[in-house]
Amino acid sequence: MSNALLDIDPIDLQFPFELKKQISCSLYLANKTDNYVAFKVKTTNPKKYCVRPNTGVVLPRSSSEVLVTMQSQKEAPADMQCKDKFLLQCVVASPGVTAKEVTPEMFSKEAGHRVEETKLRVVYVDPPRPPSPVHEGSEEGSSPRASVSDNGNNASDFTVAPRFSVDRLEPQDNPVEARALITRLTEEKNSAVQLNNRLQQELEQLKRGSNKSQSGGGIPFLYVLLVGIIGLILGYIMKKT
């Protein structure tokens, strides 16, 4: 499809419809004139779509790509038909104009500007299927083409499509609590091991001192007490590990 300023491809915006998934479709604009052409994209359902860029400039004898993204949908429409439409407006702009300099007044017919308008339909198609390992004799019918009449939509029925969209992030599992528990248990184990080593060193010192001061070979009470404490600590460590 084309108008006096731009060649537009495709003539229908086809979205391979899938539930709960953002879907994008590219729109290509080719300037077939020697003028700078400013464009603006509108839609009848601005909350459902975002367009990047929704306004811009196509340089003489060049082309531009417009990406139209449909937000994820929770329900499929009846008979997979869509009544949404897009309106592409374009107008001859001053030489050297940039996208940032495009204003709504440039597309005002009341101001005497000659605005070319092209309406585009939205068509839902089946998503691509993975290749089948079994050869099929015939491919069953393709998805039906949405039949949407013009319904006499005027430019006032369209709203400028939003430029950006924000993806909703789903909550994810957080293992912080589990990591904190593992760290605390590891620290307790290390402290118990250090205490055990220190007590063993003190026990060896007491044994050497006791052997020098006593000749009967009897076991001092403090020695027995330290052995019991060490046993309790070792049992604590075995339970933690």
Side-chain angles (χ1 to χ4, degrees):
M1 179 181 294
S2 63
N3 54 40
L5 301 176
L6 299 177
D7 285 331
I8 305 168
D9 184 50
I11 59 175
D12 294 331
L13 296 175
Q14 297 188 0
F15 293 92
F17 187 87
E18 294 185 64
L19 291 176
K20 300 180 180 180
K21 184 177 180 181
Q22 283 191 346
I23 308 168
S24 297
C25 176
S26 292
L27 182 66
Y28 298 95
L29 309 178
N31 185 353
K32 56 186 180 181
T33 72
D34 295 324
N35 301 312
Y36 282 70
V37 175
F39 69 88
K40 178 167 63 174
V41 182
K42 294 183 176 182
T43 179
T44 56
N45 196 344
K47 293 183 178 181
K48 187 176 178 181
Y49 303 92
C50 71
V51 179
R52 294 193 292 266
N54 59 356
T55 59
V57 176
V58 186
L59 301 181
R61 303 295 175 180
S62 64
S63 60
S64 296
E65 179 182 4
V66 176
L67 185 65
V68 182
T69 302
M70 182 178 67
Q71 304 299 322
S72 60
Q73 302 297 302
K74 297 181 179 180
E75 297 180 356
D79 300 327
M80 290 295 289
Q81 293 190 2
C82 182
K83 296 182 180 180
D84 300 334
K85 297 185 185 71
F86 282 80
L87 178 67
L88 176 68
Q89 295 179 309
C90 55
V91 64
V92 175
S94 302
V97 68
T98 64
K100 293 182 179 180
E101 297 173 335
V102 176
T103 62
E105 290 75 16
M106 298 173 63
F107 304 93
S108 173
K109 296 180 180 179
E110 289 76 9
H113 297 146
R114 181 178 177 180
V115 182
E116 296 286 341
E117 296 182 341
T118 303
K119 294 177 182 178
L120 306 172
R121 302 183 305 172
V122 174
V123 178
Y124 291 153
V125 296
D126 291 332
R129 297 179 181 179
S132 175
V134 180
H135 177 72
E136 298 179 357
S138 61
E139 182 179 356
E140 297 185 356
S142 59
S143 60
R145 184 184 181 89
S147 175
V148 181
S149 60
D150 189 23
N151 291 331
N153 294 95
N154 299 320
S156 59
D157 298 329
F158 295 84
T159 305
V160 177
R163 185 185 301 268
F164 301 106
S165 65
V166 179
D167 296 333
R168 180 175 299 176
L169 299 178
E170 298 296 334
Q172 299 179 353
D173 294 334
N174 191 348
V176 174
E177 184 176 352
R179 290 198 299 267
L181 178 59
I182 294 174
T183 302
R184 182 170 57 83
L185 292 176
T186 302
E187 292 174 352
E188 291 180 359
K189 177 181 177 181
N190 294 336
S191 299
V193 171
Q194 293 175 1
L195 178 60
N196 178 49
N197 293 336
R198 187 165 59 251
L199 290 175
Q200 286 183 345
Q201 292 175 359
E202 294 177 357
L203 179 60
E204 290 297 328
Q205 294 177 359
L206 289 174
K207 287 173 62 178
R208 288 193 295 268
S210 176
N211 291 336
K212 292 180 180 180
S213 61
Q214 297 183 7
S215 58
I219 301 176
F221 174 77
L222 182 58
Y223 178 82
V224 176
L225 180 61
L226 289 175
V227 171
I229 293 175
I230 292 175
L232 292 176
I233 293 174
L234 290 177
Y236 174 80
I237 295 174
M238 292 300 295
K239 289 182 179 180
K240 288 294 183 179
T241 56

